[in-house]
Amino acid sequence: MRRIYPDIQDNPDIVQAYAYPEDRPWLRLNMVASVDGAAWLNGRSGPLSSKGDRRVFQTLRGLADVILAGAATVRKEGYGPVPPRDSWAEIREGRPEVPPIAVVTRSLALDLDGELFTDAPSRTIVITCESAPQERRRLAAKYADLVVAGDDGVDMPLAVAALHDRGLTRVLCEGGPRINAQLSACGQVDELCLTISPLLVGGGAARIQNGTPAQVGLRLGHVLEEDGVLFCKYTREQSDD
């Protein structure tokens, strides 16, 4: 891997390149897309990935306090517990060995018997709303740390604030596109980490943001490259703060 912007450097320190700010809470989106903007291929993001993308993905997870994802992404991508990694020992010093996963869901249509809820070393967090079925809420509370944020739908600022209240201020959102758009629309996104895969996909795949309209000015921080795959980091323009 090499850095090609803002300067040229071989084998950059990936941990340093993606370090969180020390002075404030921070929410980053991490997504992969084809050159023509597709967020998945044949229904999943994995076929767009690469060895370099998987290294960056694992680094971002290791740096995070919590991993945020929508229920559709959790189901589609087959989320399980985050496994501990020896390479995280230094960057997670003073924190649990793995970050918990926080799932955003209005309906609570989750497999609560799955290993994400039964075998996770850090208790999974479920973020829902008042209108969620009461019986499903009671059941989810047995298997997860249940957070109710909002009335008819999940209020994303309240959801993020609830994570901060738990000391989880370094938030890594792994999508999907609808959750990304909701977070952008309400001003919660500080950073976008975007892997651009050298593929043309076409078809009906969603973009990395879909649904809720949002316009957020971004500044390009760096571009890394490996085997034709680009790893771009953008931060929100200060004028939007």
Side-chain angles (χ1 to χ4, degrees):
M1 188 173 290
R2 61 177 181 150
R3 185 168 66 214
I4 59 175
Y5 180 87
D7 56 11
I8 305 296
Q9 180 184 340
D10 290 329
N11 300 314
D13 185 327
I14 297 178
V15 171
Q16 182 179 11
Y18 290 99
Y20 280 87
E22 296 289 342
D23 59 346
R24 55 160 293 181
W26 196 258
L27 189 149
R28 64 172 32 138
L29 307 181
N30 182 40
M31 295 294 290
V32 61
S34 66
V35 170
D36 56 333
W40 56 66
L41 179 60
N42 298 325
R44 300 189 66 177
S45 62
L48 297 174
S49 189
S50 67
K51 290 182 179 179
D53 180 55
R54 289 187 285 274
R55 291 203 307 277
V56 170
F57 175 84
Q58 293 297 346
T59 298
L60 296 183
R61 282 190 154 197
L63 290 168
D65 290 335
V66 62
I67 297 165
L68 182 67
T73 295
V74 168
R75 292 190 296 265
K76 185 182 299 182
E77 301 288 348
Y79 270 52
V82 178
R85 303 177 69 89
D86 292 340
S87 60
W88 289 353
E90 183 176 350
I91 62 177
R92 297 200 64 80
E93 185 175 1
R95 297 185 292 166
E97 64 177 355
V98 298
I101 290 177
V103 184
V104 177
T105 171
R106 180 180 180 179
S107 66
L108 289 171
L110 299 168
D111 179 11
L112 297 172
D113 293 322
E115 61 179 357
L116 178 60
F117 299 97
T118 60
D119 296 330
S122 293
R123 188 171 170 88
T124 297
I125 301 166
V126 171
I127 304 174
T128 191
C129 56
E130 291 287 354
S131 64
Q134 291 296 316
E135 182 57 33
R136 293 295 296 176
R137 283 174 57 177
R138 286 192 289 270
L139 187 60
K142 295 181 180 180
Y143 292 94
D145 183 359
L146 187 67
V147 174
V148 178
D151 297 323
D152 293 330
V154 175
D155 184 305
M156 297 310 294
L158 288 179
V160 173
L163 296 176
H164 293 173
D165 289 344
R166 288 161 170 75
L168 306 173
T169 59
R170 298 174 177 181
V171 182
L172 170 64
C173 180
E174 295 179 351
R178 290 189 178 277
I179 295 295
N180 294 344
Q182 291 169 25
L183 287 166
S184 293
C186 61
Q188 296 299 305
V189 175
D190 299 296
E191 182 180 299
L192 167 64
C193 299
L194 176 63
T195 297
I196 301 175
S197 177
L199 288 172
L200 291 171
V201 172
R207 297 177 297 168
I208 64 168
Q209 295 205 146
N210 196 32
T212 307
Q215 184 171 335
V216 181
L218 300 174
R219 178 175 58 85
L220 181 61
H222 76 224
V223 182
L224 312 180
E225 183 274 337
E226 182 178 276
D227 297 331
V229 180
L230 301 180
F231 307 91
C232 304
K233 185 178 80 168
Y234 299 88
T235 55
R236 185 172 62 174
E237 291 180 345
Q238 292 300 311
S239 59
D240 287 342
D241 288 343

